[in-house]
Amino acid sequence: MNKQIYGEWLPSSGYERDPKKADIAAYFPAAFLPMTQMAVRWWIPVIKKK
């Protein structure tokens, strides 16, 4: 996922990562899956490229 976000999507998006803010990841168990499998929501702070 890191490779896809930081290596592919971000460079071509017109945005760059905001170095002043941290990424946030939240992990959620899926009710119908074993606890070893989790759902993830990932927020990445971005700013418009200059």
Side-chain angles (χ1 to χ4, degrees):
M1 187 59 69
N2 278 343
K3 180 181 175 185
Q4 207 170 18
I5 292 170
Y6 291 107
E8 298 172 18
W9 176 79
L10 202 53
S12 65
S13 69
Y15 292 87
E16 60 188 0
R17 193 183 175 291
D18 185 345
K20 296 177 184 176
K21 298 179 182 173
D23 292 10
I24 299 172
Y27 299 85
F28 303 93
F32 57 89
L33 297 173
M35 287 298 289
T36 56
Q37 297 180 15
M38 305 292 276
V40 178
R41 289 191 181 182
W42 190 359
W43 291 270
I44 301 170
V46 295
I47 54 176
K48 192 124 179 113
K49 285 184 182 176
K50 296 177 183 177

